[in-house]
Amino acid sequence: MTDHLVRRYGSLPVPRYTSYPTAAEFSAAVGAPEHQAWLRRLDPRDGVSVYLHVPYCRQLCLYCGCHTKVVLRDEVIDRYRAGLEAEIALVARSVEEPLRIARIHWGGGTPSLLGADGLDRVIDALSHVSVFQAGFEHAIELDPRSVDRDLAQGLAALGINRASLGVQDLDGTVQIAIGRVQPFEVVRNAVEVLRESGIGRLNLDLMYGLPHQSIGSIRETCAQVLSLAPDRVACYGYAHMPQRKANQRLIDAAALPGTEERFRQARAVAEAFTGSGYVAIGLDHFARPDDPLAQASRSGTLHRNFQGYTDDDRPVLAGFGASAISQLPDGYVQNTTDIAAYLRCVEKGRLATARGYRLTLDDRARGTIIESLMCNFTADLSVLGDLSHYVDELALLRPLVADGMVTVAAHRIAITEAGRPFVRLAAAVFDQFRAEDASRFSAAV
């Protein structure tokens, strides 16, 4: 039955639903004036999560789909760091009261390229215009190849208390094929120096669907990762979109696994971690039973945002940096992805907002359904009003019901065990913008 489902549904293009509507629906109809107005309407009592994007790496991995580019000169990084500080000041002038920061997440690219001093200057800029709530989580994404004892100690001194290490795969052949050679010893050393420095909350990121991966190599990677005892593991499916990312054109498409093999790889990863006591979180995360993410999953308070699955329930995510997205009560706004244009804007005292989306009541209702399906594999339509509003969507679910992937009882939708790998398909039924366009979205598995 499972192989039948994979053949029928596995290659259908659907969004990852880290937001609703997805970023594909953002437009220039929402820009800096709306962004500024929405900032002024923020409730000062709400805690805010902050995302800081650093779009630079020393070298570009072939699989990468992020907004990042190679940088070699330190003065380029210094100018960008100053740009982040300028944007922070701009946002601070747009809000009625100082932001109450509950979480900070550095992403990239490779944020540690700013160095401990550069990171400190940005945090200092935030501290002058914001209030840091007690015990807030301060996380950073790291490239294991750039982590040494000095960096780890510098990060710990800044109050960083969670780190995510990009591992992807530990097989040498796969690493060469994706342009990211980092032997297990490199990853292990990064883990050790981070823990020795007091950064004990560690996440490791993996990928399946990469060139030359096999079930055997993935199981070996999982075994090595398990030996490091991370708190969380995320395993994402590689989305091969060479028409959008030039670096991916250097990947040999003939070496990529097919849809059924991708499904088996994802299943092998899940078996490895759940078989070792980790709790499966949503579609592609795993956590130790005592981790806050696992606790949120059990209590039904799991959420999903642009960082993936999270126990963060803050209604506001303030994004800083080129391409960064902010989630505000009124809607979404995104900075320009053009780094030079971003810097020109903030250096001239203007928000770098390039596009966004204004939420409607219907968007909010659909977003609630989609997030509930993605996080909890169930959704209660009755809490959202008249069920007749979703008659068409319930009709579209019938093929998934017939194939044993979804159950519908009265007003409740539930994803079955067999349907969980395909939950994005059920979520897409409630997406009024969805178009079957393979150039925009990744495969369902």
Side-chain angles (χ1 to χ4, degrees):
M1 182 62 173
T2 299
D3 289 344
H4 164 70
L5 296 179
V6 173
R7 286 191 294 271
R8 175 175 290 189
Y9 297 108
S11 62
L12 294 178
V14 279
R16 296 184 188 272
Y17 290 117
T18 53
S19 71
Y20 181 78
T22 69
E25 314 311 328
F26 296 0
S27 78
V30 169
E34 289 78 12
H35 188 179
Q36 190 167 53
W38 295 352
L39 286 169
R40 293 197 184 283
R41 286 202 288 270
L42 291 181
D43 188 335
R45 297 168 297 180
D46 286 337
V48 173
S49 293
V50 167
Y51 174 74
L52 297 155
H53 187 70
V54 179
Y56 293 119
C57 290
R58 289 301 187 194
Q59 63 187 69
L60 192 59
C61 302
L62 303 186
Y63 65 85
C64 185
C66 300
H67 291 295
T68 187
K69 63 188 301 184
V70 173
V71 64
L72 300 176
R73 295 183 292 127
D74 288 343
E75 58 266 31
V76 174
I77 297 172
D78 289 341
R79 184 186 176 196
Y80 185 81
R81 185 262 310 149
L84 284 175
E85 295 175 38
E87 186 185 9
I88 288 168
L90 284 169
V91 169
R93 290 198 292 270
S94 299
V95 297
E96 296 294 336
E97 295 188 33
L99 298 176
R100 296 166 55 85
I101 296 179
R103 297 198 180 203
I104 296 176
H105 184 102
W106 293 87
T110 309
S112 61
L113 285 179
L114 270 63
D117 289 342
L119 295 168
D120 186 35
R121 290 185 63 170
V122 177
I123 296 302
D124 187 59
L126 275 172
S127 70
H128 279 88
V129 296
S130 309
V131 176
F132 291 168
Q133 294 185 348
F136 76 96
E137 182 171 283
H138 192 170
I140 189 168
E141 297 173 10
L142 296 172
D143 182 337
R145 299 170 296 179
S146 65
V147 178
D148 56 22
R149 184 165 279 101
D150 287 343
L151 175 63
Q153 291 175 348
L155 298 178
L158 293 175
I160 289 174
N161 50 30
R162 184 180 291 279
S164 294
L165 295 170
V167 175
Q168 321 316 343
D169 190 277
L170 290 169
D171 180 84
T173 300
V174 176
Q175 290 185 350
I176 291 171
I178 64 175
R180 188 184 180 99
V181 176
Q182 50 181 29
F184 174 65
E185 291 73 20
V186 171
V187 178
R188 181 173 59 194
N189 179 72
V191 168
E192 289 175 352
V193 297
L194 286 166
R195 285 179 171 150
E196 289 169 4
S197 300
I199 301 176
R201 305 178 203 169
L202 298 181
N203 311 347
L204 298 187
D205 292 342
L206 304 177
M207 296 185 78
Y208 66 88
L210 293 172
H212 301 296
Q213 270 183 327
S214 67
I215 299 297
S217 70
I218 277 197
R219 285 176 175 156
E220 178 59 26
T221 288
C222 291
Q224 291 175 296
V225 167
L226 281 164
S227 74
L228 302 175
D231 298 87
R232 299 175 185 173
V233 173
C235 187
Y236 305 104
Y238 168 60
H240 189 59
M241 296 185 176
Q243 69 278 12
R244 296 179 58 186
K245 293 293 179 179
N247 51 298
Q248 293 187 357
R249 295 170 197 161
L250 298 176
I251 285 182
D252 180 8
L256 294 172
T259 300
E260 292 177 61
E261 175 67 9
R262 282 172 62 94
F263 179 83
R264 285 191 285 268
Q265 290 178 0
R267 185 166 55 188
V269 171
E271 289 171 350
F273 288 103
T274 58
S276 297
Y278 283 73
V279 177
I281 309 293
L283 186 63
D284 47 24
H285 283 48
F286 307 90
R288 290 181 167 278
D290 59 347
D291 187 90
L293 202 63
Q295 294 170 0
S297 182
R298 285 193 297 269
S299 65
T301 58
L302 188 67
H303 291 279
R304 190 162 171 82
N305 63 21
F306 296 104
Q307 277 80 61
Y309 288 107
T310 177
D311 59 321
D312 183 2
D313 62 354
R314 278 74 185 182
V316 176
L317 174 63
F320 296 91
S323 80
I325 298 174
S326 295
Q327 180 175 342
L328 305 171
D330 288 286
Y332 301 104
V333 289
Q334 182 176 24
N335 285 341
T336 177
T337 60
D338 184 320
I339 301 172
Y342 165 79
L343 291 172
R344 286 195 299 270
C345 282
V346 296
E347 287 169 353
K348 292 180 180 179
R350 302 196 306 266
L351 292 173
T353 320
R355 62 187 194 135
Y357 186 89
R358 185 189 300 272
L359 288 168
T360 67
L361 289 176
D362 185 60
D363 293 328
R364 297 178 200 279
R366 291 176 182 274
T368 298
I369 295 170
I370 289 171
E371 184 179 34
S372 184
L373 288 172
M374 293 294 297
C375 292
N376 306 313
F377 298 108
T378 185
D380 186 350
L381 302 186
S382 67
V383 300
L384 302 172
D386 188 356
L387 294 182
S388 64
H389 187 63
Y390 300 106
V391 169
D392 291 341
E393 286 78 5
L394 291 171
L396 289 171
L397 283 174
R398 287 173 188 162
L400 303 182
V401 172
D403 281 328
M405 300 165 65
V406 175
T407 63
V408 178
H411 48 75
R412 180 170 291 278
I413 301 167
I415 310 298
T416 66
E417 194 67 31
R420 289 193 173 197
F422 310 93
V423 63
R424 290 159 58 195
L425 292 170
V429 166
F430 293 91
D431 182 349
Q432 65 173 331
F433 301 100
R434 183 178 175 241
E436 302 236 357
D437 181 352
S439 68
R440 297 171 78 197
F441 305 121
S442 59
V445 297

